[in-house]
Each structure stands twice: as structure tokens, then as C-alpha cells.
Amino acid sequence: MIYVEKFTFRETGVIKLEELKRLNLLPPQERLLKGPVAILECPEEIPCNICVPFCPSKAIQMESIIALPKIVWDKCTGCGICVAVCPGLAAFVVDISKQDADYVTIPHELLPVPRVGDKVMILSRSGEILGEGVVIRVWERNKTYVITIKVPKGLGLEVRAILSKPLK
Amino acid sequence: MPHIDRRIYEHPIITFNRGKRVIFYFEGHPIEAYEGESVAVALYALGVDVFSWSPKFSRPRGPFCMIGKCSSCFMTINGVPNIKACKYPVREGLVVERQRGWGLLAKSSILEDYKPASSEKIETDVLVIGGGPAGLIAALTAANYDLNVVIVDEHFKLGGQLLKQTHKFFGNVELFGGLRGFQIAEELAKKIALEKRIRVLMSTIAYGVFRGGYVGVVGENAHYIIKPKALIIATGAQEKYLDFPNNDLPGVIGAGGAQTIMNEFGVKPGESALVVGSGNVGLIVAYQLLQAGVRVRAVIEILPEIGGWFIHAAKIRRYGIPILTRHTIKYVEGDVRVRKATIIAVDEKFNPLPGTEKEFDVDLVLLAIGLEPDSRLAIQAGAVVKYMPELGGFVPVRTRFLETTVKNMYIAGDISGIEEATAAMLEGKIASLAIVSRLVDTSRSSKALEEAEKVLKFLWEEYRASPLLLRAKRGKEAVTISINELEDLRKKFPSPVSFG
């Protein structure tokens, strides 16, 4: 029998890359290296399929309202609509195909809203400060800001939040 | 009077459009407030933490539930004691006083100008008690089939607890998924306003169900005796309490109460918070506190796992808010408001582990340990209820169409067992369609039943198929009975009341 390590995200509130991979939520390496692609960090069978009808490329599939989302990786263009509409703020777009830096697109619902060119603190899934990033693009949909940040090479799969200034 | 301004002027999600400025009097001090605010919120915004003193030990009491379900904000307004200040809209010239002990009628002033309230008799097809997601959908569904509907709601705004939900809803687009809770409330309220067949009685309380199928409803200077052909009780739920020393100190607030203060009214509930309980409510309120500019020190959870959905947990973890599992609250300290909270780790049997205490300097301790169905009216009417821990408390036994053992009395939403707003809307629809099928002609009746079956199928087989909803689903299965079982229960426990 193969020993399967237990998922720990229900204890920690932080999902590990290998857990995302086991749930088929992480794009394969070849796809990641091709350019921007969505990652839906949605590991539980919650009754929600909002991302499906909104995806302009019809790249997200769900067998039922409680199924985990499945992305057809080659259809996904990394446009970021899912980042804007996901009620769980669980959608991200990652681009690790560039030489100089990685690019991460995240949902943001805190004040202040950063502007293009701002330097911001970049945070991991557990709120650890990973360094500094630069805001590349900002757009909004129903008060969810979709923010693309340029982050140091190697951090594309780690950065999941930003802050313009430290929390109180 | 403290001189603090807790109003929120900038918020990432909500624009607080405050109404006209009004002045009222609080223990002799003029108070500036805005139309649309409740007395409780207007006082809290200016730093009033103590709303009353307890009758026996004169302990200070502050707001707790903020939705009219508890007695924490009882005040004397214009000489009338025991008014829920959380449900009382501010008005020019009100005279508000705190109560030390029991509230007493100021006999001379009140009784001299006492005039009995006008009493109106209303006959209607459907009476809906509660203007939250379940009640509003139920009302709209019945009106859509040309039935006359009366909605009774204790608040001065429609929407129930949708009013304070700032996150985008899950589900699918047809079920308002993707919209924020308060936006759903706005949309439903707009639709209700356009329906000529729906009459809304705001700021009223259904105080009892009476023989002959009457429901007594009372508001300020108004009394209604309503005789509906069918009744839908959609009274929602209330926050559960937790035992720990000083749990009655102002600053210990229900998580939902804090949401009302900050999201419905735009007032900061405190500066620094500890959240007790990591179910969805606890996780969501922690995120909302962050959005309102309140520091969140930690969310604690007595179980070894986070109670709510991972995605809600991830939203606060990525900003560095710790979720401390296997921890409980030991006590809070403070004189007139919480100053400090002490938590402690527990073992597998939930026994506290001495020496593991941690202290937090917080002025806010939010209880998010679960909700309890508000089934009081159904119980008073004589409905057979069952205690279901997985549903939060006592819930009426019902058919799959949500009819209780009281004939033509239906339930919908959290009163039927705690779930969330989407399930509440689906239940409101089912109960309403079942009533419609009894009250309209044959051809439309079968259409309504068909529609009800469709909603039932989606709710039970698709929506509640989620493993995260399993516990509630099992609880609901256990209290859902067949028509034959319903008839048996009606014989065994006859209710003095019936409708229709």
C-alpha cells in the first residue's frame, strides 16, 4: 500500500503546492512555462460554479455545482476574469515564463488600492512577507480589484497577497 | 460623553450613504446621528459602550446581537422602557436613557397621553414573517402567482442578514451567486417595492399566533390582526452564547452583531479583535474586520480543524491572521469594556492545558460559535419541534415542502436548521410554491408543484450534495417527514391553531 500524506490545509488554512498538484489544481510545468495561466486554489467541494460561465475561453469545467473546477490548461489565456469573479477570492493568474521576473495576478479588497508602478509588500499564503513587488496592472469588477504584480523570479507560485503598508 | 468617532468613511467594498443629520438626546447630551441609523449604532459610533446595567449585580451591558434577538441593548426611549435600541431608528428629538436594572414606565408622562394604537384587521393569502432571503423570495414567488402577501419584519430595512454580508455569494448565477449579500438585499427590496400584491409592514413584530388562525403583529402605535390562508415563518437565527468569566462585558459581541455595526451602518466595532470560532461566520467576520481597518489578533477554534470553508480561511491567513486550532477562551478582563482576553490550549478531550495561556490586548471579542434557529413563534403556535445539534437547536418537524405540524404553517431559512442564505432562498421558494399549489386553480397549481419539485431536486441532490454541507443535510433529513407521519403527529400532538 502506498502511504498518502494527509491534506493539512483544513488545519492550517494554507494549501501546499503538492496538495494543489494532487488535486489537479496546479498547471503542469510545461504549461506554466508557456505563459500566464489561472490557478484556482479551490480544494473543497463547495456548491459554487461562478467561474464557469464567466470564463471567456470556456476553459473551466465542472461536472456538477459541487465538483472541483478543472481547467483545460491550453484553453486558458490567463485573462484574469476568474480572479475578479471568484466569490472565494481563490483564483490567481501566474506567469513564470519570463526570464527576468515572475508575474502574479491576485484579487485585492483592502484599502488603499495600489496604483500602477507602486512598490508593495508581497505576502505568501500564510502572510509571510516575501519581499517587494511592483504593481503592473490594476482593474476592478464589483469592488474586487484585480492586481498584477511583478515579483522576484521564483516567487510566482508563492505570492498570494499584497499590502501597500503593514497592517496595524 | 466620550468623544470618539467610530464611523467608517472609507471602505473598500461599501459606500455608506448617510442620511440627513438629526439630533437626539442621550441622558441630556445632544447626539448627532444620521437618518437610517439605529439608536444603538448612533450611540456606539460616538463611543458609548455601556447600554444598560444588569438588574441584580449592576453589571455593565453593551450591544450583543444587534438584530433584535437579545436584550442587551434595551433602553428607555421617550419614556418607554425596554426598547431594543438596535431596531429603533434615530429621529429628531428622541430622548434616550440607559436603564439601571429593570426599565420602569414613567407613569405620569406615558399614561396621561396614552391612546390605544389603531388596530387593523388584514386578510391575506400568505403572511411571511421575516424579510430576509427566505422570506423575500417566498413573498416574490407567491406574488408571481397573483397571491396577496403581507411581509412582517422587525427591522426598518428589508433584507435580513443579507444587509451585512459584503462577500460575494457562492452558488450559481441564477441564485444571485457573484453578487454581494447587501446587493442581493437591494435587488430583492426593489422587486418587492414593485409588487402591488405585497404589503410590507416594517418595524413590526409578530407577537403570537392565535386560535382561529390569527397572527398578532405590533409596531409603534400600530396593531394588526392578520388572518392569512397560509403562514411562512422565516425568522432566521440568533447567535449562540459561550460561558467564560466576564462574558457579559461590553466588547464581547456576537460576530453577526459586529457585522451589523460595521457593514450595515459603517461603524467600527472596535480597534483590536479576537474572534472565537472558525466556522464560516468567524472566518468571514475576521476578513471583514480587516477591510474595516480593525486589527485581528487571531481566530481561535477549539477543534483540531478549521470549522469553515478553506477558501475563507485562506483569505485571512494570507494577511497573516493566525487561526489557532485546539484553543478556547479562558476569560476576558476589563471594567466597562473588554481590555484583555486570555486564551488557552486544550487537549483531545477539550480540557484546558494549564500553562498554555496567551493574552491579547483587545477591545473586541467576537463570538462566532454558531447560530441557533429562532423557532419561538413556531413553538408558540404548537408546532412539533425536535432538538437537533447539527441544525443548531430546536427546529420544527416538517414535510419536504416545509409544512409544519400546524396546518398551512410553513418554515423557510435558518429557522428550519442553520445553513446559509442560498439554501434559505431555495427553501423560501419551495414553501411558497407549495402554498401556491394549494391556493390557485388546477392548471397553475400543477405548474407550481412542478417548479417546486425542480427546486427540491436541485437543493437536495445537487446543492446539499457538497460534503461540506453534509452535517446540516443529515440533520434536515432527520426532521423531514412524510405526509403520513405528519398526519400521525398531528393526531398525537394536536395544535390548537391551524391556517387555511
Side-chain angles (χ1 to χ4, degrees):
Chain A
M1 223 175 91
I2 304 162
Y3 175 72
V4 181
E5 206 184 319
K6 197 177 159 263
F7 288 116
T8 56
F9 60 81
R10 285 215 54 83
E11 284 147 51
T12 58
V14 174
I15 198 160
K16 298 178 198 155
L17 284 181
E18 55 265 34
E19 291 179 326
L20 287 171
K21 203 167 170 185
R22 272 166 62 194
L23 292 163
N24 294 320
L25 294 170
L26 202 65
Q29 192 65 15
E30 314 88 79
R31 177 63 190 83
L32 280 166
L33 293 174
K34 273 190 199 159
V37 63
I39 301 181
L40 307 176
E41 303 196 356
C42 179
E44 295 179 313
E45 295 168 295
I46 57 175
C48 179
N49 63 9
I50 299 295
C51 54
V52 176
F54 279 106
C55 175
S57 323
K58 307 241 176 303
I60 308 176
Q61 299 176 343
M62 279 177 70
E63 285 152 31
S64 74
I65 194 164
I66 64 159
L68 295 193
K70 213 175 123 191
I71 298 183
V72 182
W73 304 114
D74 290 329
K75 278 194 181 177
C76 174
T77 62
C79 70
I81 299 281
C82 53
V83 180
V85 300
C86 172
L89 306 187
F92 305 89
V93 172
V94 168
D95 182 1
I96 59 167
S97 67
K98 308 283 189 300
Q99 290 301 315
D100 63 322
D102 287 346
Y103 295 81
V104 187
T105 302
I106 57 152
H108 185 83
E109 295 186 338
L110 294 181
L111 292 179
V113 178
R115 284 167 305 189
V116 172
D118 281 2
K119 287 194 173 127
V120 292
M121 295 160 55
I122 49 177
L123 281 72
S124 72
R125 291 180 182 83
S126 57
E128 191 195 340
I129 299 165
L130 299 173
E132 205 175 63
V134 180
V135 176
I136 298 295
R137 187 173 177 223
V138 177
W139 58 280
E140 176 259 359
R141 183 169 181 144
N142 195 7
K143 299 285 181 177
T144 300
Y145 285 85
V146 178
I147 296 179
T148 304
I149 328 132
K150 182 178 176 182
V151 303
K153 191 75 201 152
L155 293 181
L157 292 171
E158 302 302 329
V159 173
R160 286 299 172 266
I162 57 161
L163 284 174
S164 302
K165 53 174 193 209
L167 288 171
K168 276 196 300 179
Chain B
M1 272 299 296
H3 288 283
I4 300 177
D5 185 4
R6 290 184 176 142
R7 286 194 177 81
I8 300 165
Y9 296 97
E10 263 196 312
H11 189 281
I13 306 297
I14 321 162
T15 312
F16 298 106
N17 295 312
R18 298 191 166 91
K20 209 181 90 197
R21 194 173 296 193
V22 296
I23 305 277
F24 70 94
Y25 296 90
F26 171 63
E27 299 181 339
H29 303 276
I31 298 283
E32 259 184 27
Y34 298 93
E35 252 173 26
E37 290 179 341
S38 66
V39 167
V41 159
L43 291 173
Y44 198 81
L46 296 181
V48 176
D49 292 327
V50 180
F51 279 43
S52 66
W53 287 268
S54 69
K56 221 171 180 177
F57 300 112
S58 284
R59 292 175 65 87
R61 292 280 155 81
F64 181 75
C65 84
M66 294 302 285
I67 56 167
K69 305 276 193 194
C70 75
S71 57
S72 258
C73 67
F74 274 13
M75 295 187 127
T76 298
I77 299 182
N78 285 349
V80 182
N82 300 342
I83 304 259
K84 292 170 189 167
C86 72
K87 288 287 171 195
Y88 203 89
V90 294
R91 280 202 292 263
E92 193 70 36
L94 289 178
V95 175
V96 178
E97 285 154 322
R98 285 186 281 203
Q99 297 176 186
R100 291 183 180 267
W102 305 113
L104 296 172
L105 266 180
K107 282 192 181 102
S108 53
S109 64
I110 296 295
L111 294 182
E112 269 165 33
D113 344 307
Y114 171 76
K115 275 186 231 90
S118 64
S119 200
E120 186 188 345
K121 281 194 180 159
I122 305 174
E123 287 197 10
T124 184
D125 294 320
V126 187
L127 171 60
V128 178
I129 312 223
L136 295 184
I137 290 288
L140 287 168
T141 304
N144 196 30
Y145 279 87
D146 300 329
L147 295 184
N148 292 316
V149 184
V150 175
I151 303 174
V152 166
D153 193 277
E154 193 175 358
H155 197 24
F156 47 85
K157 260 193 253 173
L158 278 179
Q161 306 326 307
L162 287 173
L163 289 170
K164 63 192 186 195
Q165 295 307 340
T166 56
H167 66 280
K168 289 177 283 185
F169 271 53
F170 297 84
N172 61 32
V173 180
E174 291 81 57
L175 293 169
F176 302 102
L179 283 183
R180 299 181 187 275
F182 67 93
Q183 295 169 332
I184 301 175
E186 278 166 20
E187 230 171 81
L188 292 176
K190 261 189 230 157
K191 284 188 180 169
I192 296 274
L194 291 173
E195 275 292 348
K196 288 190 185 64
R197 294 180 177 279
I198 300 178
R199 179 170 172 191
V200 183
L201 304 175
M202 296 309 301
S203 298
T204 55
I205 297 169
Y207 62 83
V209 173
F210 298 94
R211 278 187 180 77
Y214 294 95
V215 180
V217 173
V218 68
E220 204 181 14
N221 301 319
H223 182 232
Y224 307 92
I225 297 165
I226 306 180
K227 189 169 168 57
K229 290 180 184 146
L231 174 63
I232 300 178
I233 307 185
T235 41
Q238 57 226 10
E239 211 91 50
K240 281 188 182 169
Y241 223 72
L242 189 63
D243 282 345
F244 54 89
N246 290 332
N247 65 354
D248 60 341
L249 256 187
V252 178
I253 303 182
Q259 287 183 318
T260 297
I261 295 171
M262 70 181 163
N263 298 338
E264 187 179 340
F265 294 104
V267 171
K268 255 186 179 184
E271 289 301 322
S272 181
L274 175 74
V275 177
V276 181
S278 72
N280 277 348
V281 173
L283 299 173
I284 289 172
V285 81
Y287 182 69
Q288 293 173 345
L289 287 165
L290 209 62
Q291 291 178 308
V294 180
R295 181 178 181 196
V296 185
R297 299 295 304 272
V299 175
I300 63 168
E301 168 60 57
I302 197 162
L303 295 173
E305 274 194 2
I306 294 165
W309 297 353
F310 164 76
I311 44 161
H312 289 307
K315 268 161 45 183
I316 59 172
R317 292 289 290 119
R318 64 177 77 123
Y319 293 107
I321 297 175
I323 302 175
L324 305 173
T325 54
R326 299 178 201 268
H327 276 81
T328 190
I329 187 156
K330 193 176 175 192
Y331 54 82
V332 299
E333 296 166 85
D335 36 21
V336 291
R337 178 164 182 142
V338 174
R339 247 187 313 110
K340 196 193 275 180
T342 301
I343 67 167
I344 188 163
V346 298
D347 65 16
E348 309 77 65
K349 290 180 178 151
F350 307 120
N351 297 311
L353 296 165
T356 61
E357 289 90 347
K358 284 189 200 88
E359 284 182 354
F360 293 100
D361 294 322
V362 290
D363 62 350
L364 201 55
V365 172
L366 297 187
L367 300 188
I369 53 162
L371 298 167
E372 180 184 5
D374 184 352
S375 45
R376 292 172 293 179
L377 196 66
I379 291 170
Q380 184 268 320
V384 173
V385 294
K386 212 167 169 181
Y387 185 76
M388 300 295 293
E390 51 276 69
L391 297 179
F394 285 99
V395 293
V397 172
R398 82 303 297 266
T399 65
R400 63 193 194 103
F401 289 106
L402 297 154
E403 188 180 3
T404 66
T405 57
V406 176
K407 200 178 164 210
N408 282 321
M409 186 172 95
Y410 290 72
I411 49 170
D414 273 354
I415 183 186
S416 85
I418 307 302
E419 287 183 283
E420 34 57 63
T422 306
M425 289 190 267
L426 293 169
E427 286 195 343
K429 192 148 201 179
I430 292 163
S432 191
L433 287 167
I435 291 168
V436 165
S437 76
R438 288 183 172 187
L439 297 182
V440 299
D441 60 70
T442 342
S443 66
R444 299 174 80 208
S445 166
S446 49
K447 190 183 153 227
L449 271 185
E450 234 171 73
E451 208 185 329
E453 288 294 352
K454 239 190 242 163
V455 183
L456 276 164
K457 193 168 177 313
F458 176 76
L459 177 61
W460 284 96
E461 288 170 31
E462 292 182 49
Y463 194 82
R464 285 184 182 144
S466 166
L468 288 101
L469 308 177
L470 189 62
R471 192 160 179 261
K473 185 190 180 190
R474 290 213 171 121
K476 292 214 161 172
E477 275 167 354
V479 285
T480 301
I481 57 173
S482 69
I483 299 286
N484 289 340
E485 288 168 314
L486 182 79
E487 292 305 333
D488 286 348
L489 276 180
R490 279 177 177 166
K491 275 180 212 140
K492 225 164 142 188
F493 305 102
S495 162
V497 188
S498 72
F499 293 92

